[in-house]
Amino acid sequence: MSDKGSVTNKDYKIRSFPSIRSVLLFLFKNKSVTIAGADNVKCSVPYGTVSILGFKMSSGEDIKSYNLFAPHMDPAITFSHVEDNEDKKKPVNGDIPKPVWQAITKMIQTTNNIGAIIYLVQEKKVFQNSPLRSEFVVKDTSIFSHYESSLNLCIESPNTLHEAYTIPEAWESLKNDIVNFKYDGPKSTSVMAIGAKNTGKSTFSRFIINSFLNLLPKVAYLECDLGQPLFNPPGLIALHVLTDPTIVTNFCSLLTPFSAIFTGDIKSSDKPTFYLQSIITLYERYIKSVVQDGVQNVPLIINTPGWVLGMGLDLLTEITKCVQPTFFIQFKQKNQPLPIQDPNAFFSLANYVPKVLITLPSAVTKPRKINAKYKRESLFLSYFKVTNERLGAQITYKVPWNVLRIRFLNDQVPPSQVLYALNGVMVGLSIDEKQYVTDKIVDPAISSLYPQFLLTSPICECVGMAEESKYNFERKCEYNSCIHVNRLLCEYAISSCWFCWNWFSSCNR
C-alpha cells in the first residue's frame, strides 16, 4: 500500500501528485478499477474511453468533468475501459496542470497497453462538516490495494472482498435493444421497472438513463418510490429531466425536479387514490411539457416501489395503465417467485400490452446492511444541507400566518390544535391555485387573520420542503420555518399551501 509516487498492478497504474491533491489512473486495455470513499472528487478522462454505470466518459475535443462521490453505504464505483474510435485515443490537455500532462504523454509513449487515463482532483469537500462525513472516511483499508491519502479514497481492482457496482450481461444486452428502439410515430420510448426491494431497480434505472444520455441530450425520470427515491427527498412523486449522467449515490445527487407533488408519506397504502392521481398528473405534464405532445424525443424511465403484493400489485396495474411503457421489466430475486405470476391477467387488467416484456436477474449479489431509515435520514440531511448544527439552528424565514393554506395529510387536526400539531414537523410547500368557497358564517374580518384550513388534499405543484420552527405568539402573524425551496418564491400569495408531515416518525419505519 502506498500514498505517493507510483503503484502498478495487473489492471492499472497510479501516479500521485500530493502537492496538487490529484491522481492519474492509467487503466490498461479491457480492465476495470473501483473507487470508494470519494467526497466531491472531480473526474475527467483525458485519454481513451471508460464506462461508469452505462455512461461513457471519454476524451475528444472538449473534456467534461464530473463530480464524483463514493460513500461507503453504497457499492464502490467501477470504471471499465471500453474500445472506442481512434479520435478518442488522442490525449487532450484541457485544464490539466503541466506536470500531470507530462506524466500522461510519457506514459502513452512508453507503454503500449494503456486503454484509458482517468484524472482525479480533490475539490472542496461537501460533507466535511456534515453528520454524513463518516460515510467518506475509509474505515478498513486492508481490503484495498491502494489508499490515496491526498484524496482520502481507496483504489482497487474488482474483487470479492468489497462490493462494487456490476452490470450483468443480460442488462447490457437489453440496453442495446432499449436505446436503439424506434417508434414509427412521435411517441418516445418508456421503460418501467418493477420488482421487490433490493432487486436492483434503482441501479437499472441509473444504467438506462446513462445509456440514453450517450445518445440523447436529455432523459425523463418519473419517481414513484416514496420511501427510497433516487433524486429527491422521500415523500414526493417527482418528474425529473436529466441532462447529465447519474454516477453517484442518491443523497449526493439530489436534483431540482421538473415537477413534483408532495404526498406526506413514505408509503402509498394510506392514500392510494391520491398517490395514483399524482402519478397521472405528472405523466400528463411529461407528455405536454417535456415531449410536447410528441415534438421532442425524450425517453421516460419509471421507477416503482418494492411493494409487489396485494394492493401494491393493484397499484402497479394502475400505473401501467397510465404510463403504458414500451419496455416492461420485472426483476427476479434468486429462489423467489416473480412479482407477476400471470402476465396475461395482469395486462388484461391494465388494458395494455407492452412492446417488450422481459424478466431480468437481480444485480444484488448480497443484501446491503444499510437500513432504509438511515438512507431516508441521509436524504433529508443532504437536502437541507445540514452541518454539525441541528436543523433548527439554521437560518429561518418568516411567513405571514394569514396567507397560508394548511392541510394535514395524515391526520385530522382541529383548528384550535394546529399550532401544537405543527411544532417541529416537516411540511411541503406547494402552490394551490384553486379557488375555494369559504364559510359565509365566518366574519371576513376575523377569517383574514388566519390561514385557510383545507378539508381535502389538492394535487398541486410542490416547490420545496421545510421544517416548522415556531410561531410568534406576540405578533400573531409570523410563522418561522427553516425552508429549502427548489425555485425562489419572491413572495407568498394566498395560493401558497402547506402540507404537513411528521417525517421523524416516518424515518423510523
Side-chain angles (χ1 to χ4, degrees):
M1 188 179 299
S2 172
D3 63 357
K4 62 182 179 179
S6 298
V7 175
T8 303
N9 77 358
K10 62 182 179 62
D11 296 326
Y12 59 83
K13 182 174 182 178
I14 301 172
R15 176 69 187 276
S16 303
F17 301 86
S19 61
I20 54 177
R21 304 185 72 185
S22 62
V23 168
L24 279 176
L25 272 174
F26 300 95
L27 190 58
F28 299 145
K29 292 180 180 179
N30 303 316
K31 297 296 185 178
S32 299
V33 64
T34 63
I35 294 176
D39 180 1
N40 197 27
V41 173
K42 187 167 69 173
C43 173
S44 61
V45 179
Y47 177 80
T49 302
V50 298
S51 176
I52 172 172
L53 272 178
F55 183 73
K56 292 182 179 180
M57 297 177 59
S58 62
S59 55
E61 294 182 359
D62 183 23
I63 298 180
K64 190 170 183 179
S65 299
Y66 299 92
N67 288 17
L68 187 66
F69 295 85
H72 294 289
M73 73 161 64
D74 273 18
I77 293 178
T78 303
F79 291 86
S80 300
H81 168 248
V82 293
E83 291 291 344
D84 216 322
N85 58 57
E86 292 298 324
D87 292 338
K88 303 293 178 64
K89 295 183 179 180
K90 298 177 181 178
V92 180
N93 191 333
D95 297 326
I96 296 176
K98 185 176 179 179
V100 179
W101 180 247
Q102 290 175 343
I104 291 175
T105 55
K106 182 178 179 181
M107 178 62 70
I108 294 173
Q109 293 170 358
T110 58
T111 308
N112 295 325
N113 63 335
I114 296 296
I117 299 175
I118 304 167
Y119 180 47
L120 304 173
V121 183
Q122 179 66 64
E123 299 284 276
K124 183 179 180 181
K125 293 184 177 181
V126 173
F127 294 96
Q128 187 169 11
N129 297 317
S130 167
L132 298 170
R133 64 187 180 278
S134 61
E135 284 296 328
F136 302 92
V137 176
V138 179
K139 302 178 180 64
D140 182 10
T141 61
S142 62
I143 62 175
F144 292 88
S145 295
H146 180 75
Y147 171 61
E148 183 56 47
S149 60
S150 60
L151 278 67
N152 192 34
L153 56 81
C154 287
I155 302 171
E156 176 60 285
S157 298
N159 59 46
T160 59
L161 295 180
H162 66 281
E163 291 185 76
Y165 282 112
T166 56
I167 303 300
E169 292 183 5
W171 291 23
E172 288 281 0
S173 177
L174 179 62
K175 173 203 71 175
N176 297 326
D177 295 336
I178 292 175
V179 299
N180 295 318
F181 185 86
K182 301 293 183 184
Y183 267 106
D184 294 334
K187 186 177 180 181
S188 297
T189 302
S190 55
V191 182
M192 179 172 168
I194 75 163
K197 296 178 181 179
N198 298 321
T199 54
K201 298 187 302 296
S202 296
T203 302
F204 179 79
S205 296
R206 288 183 187 274
F207 175 63
I208 296 300
I209 289 171
N210 291 339
S211 300
F212 268 121
L213 287 174
N214 290 323
L215 305 172
L216 298 172
K218 54 186 176 181
V219 178
Y221 175 80
L222 181 58
E223 181 62 84
C224 303
D225 191 343
L226 297 174
Q228 299 292 332
L230 271 183
F231 305 115
N232 51 266
L236 292 176
I237 303 292
L239 174 65
H240 297 270
V241 178
L242 298 101
T243 56
D244 289 323
T246 165
I247 57 177
V248 296
T249 190
N250 52 3
F251 79 82
C252 301
S253 59
L254 292 177
L255 303 174
T256 299
F258 180 85
S259 185
I261 296 172
F262 184 73
T263 68
D265 208 336
I266 59 171
K267 52 187 177 61
S268 55
S269 57
D270 292 340
K271 299 181 291 294
T273 302
F274 183 82
Y275 172 77
L276 286 173
Q277 191 58 49
S278 299
I279 293 174
I280 292 171
T281 300
L282 290 185
Y283 181 72
E284 291 173 347
R285 290 175 186 171
Y286 160 76
I287 295 296
K288 293 179 180 179
S289 301
V290 180
V291 298
Q292 299 176 2
D293 293 323
V295 174
Q296 295 193 50
N297 179 20
V298 183
L300 176 65
I301 314 300
I302 304 105
N303 187 39
T304 60
W307 187 24
V308 295
L309 300 175
M311 185 191 294
L313 189 60
D314 294 337
L315 292 175
L316 289 175
T317 304
E318 295 301 317
I319 295 173
T320 304
K321 183 186 297 185
C322 165
V323 301
Q324 298 188 351
T326 315
F327 290 82
F328 188 93
I329 300 163
Q330 56 176 339
F331 289 85
K332 185 183 186 305
Q333 284 179 312
K334 188 176 182 180
N335 300 325
Q336 295 293 326
L338 284 170
I340 299 176
Q341 297 290 319
D342 188 349
N344 292 331
F346 178 88
F347 292 113
S348 176
L349 291 172
N351 196 27
Y352 173 76
V353 178
K355 297 287 185 182
V356 179
L357 169 63
I358 193 167
T359 300
L360 289 181
S362 170
V364 181
T365 55
K366 55 182 178 179
R368 300 288 295 161
K369 296 182 180 180
I370 305 298
N371 60 39
K373 169 181 176 269
Y374 181 72
K375 288 185 176 180
R376 282 191 283 272
E377 289 177 345
S378 300
L379 284 167
F380 279 115
L381 291 172
S382 178
Y383 179 76
F384 285 101
K385 297 180 172 60
V386 176
T387 59
N388 290 330
E389 296 180 335
R390 62 184 178 86
L391 180 58
Q394 293 184 312
I395 297 174
T396 58
Y397 298 84
K398 295 180 179 179
V399 180
W401 179 238
N402 62 339
V403 302
L404 298 175
R405 288 174 176 171
I406 294 179
R407 170 64 178 168
F408 287 86
L409 290 169
N410 301 317
D411 299 286
Q412 296 295 325
V413 180
S416 61
Q417 302 299 308
V418 165
L419 293 179
Y420 298 102
L422 287 176
N423 184 31
V425 302
M426 186 70 68
V427 296
L429 305 174
S430 300
I431 302 298
D432 180 22
E433 298 178 348
K434 185 177 179 180
Q435 298 299 318
Y436 297 92
V437 177
T438 57
D439 193 338
K440 296 181 180 179
I441 300 176
V442 179
D443 185 349
I446 296 177
S447 63
S448 63
L449 299 176
Y450 300 96
Q452 293 182 355
F453 297 96
L454 303 183
L455 300 178
T456 58
S457 303
I459 294 176
C460 49
E461 181 72 14
C462 178
V463 295
M465 299 175 72
E467 184 208 24
E468 180 275 335
S469 177
K470 64 181 179 179
Y471 177 76
N472 191 323
F473 286 93
E474 295 181 358
R475 297 188 62 179
K476 296 182 180 180
C477 65
E478 291 182 357
Y479 190 82
N480 293 355
S481 267
C482 173
I483 298 174
H484 178 133
V485 290
N486 297 328
R487 290 189 290 274
L488 178 63
L489 302 179
C490 297
E491 60 183 30
Y492 285 86
I494 191 65
S495 61
S496 297
C497 184
W498 283 32
F499 299 108
C500 305
W501 170 38
N502 192 335
W503 77 278
F504 296 103
S505 63
S506 297
C507 281
N508 289 320
R509 296 177 187 174

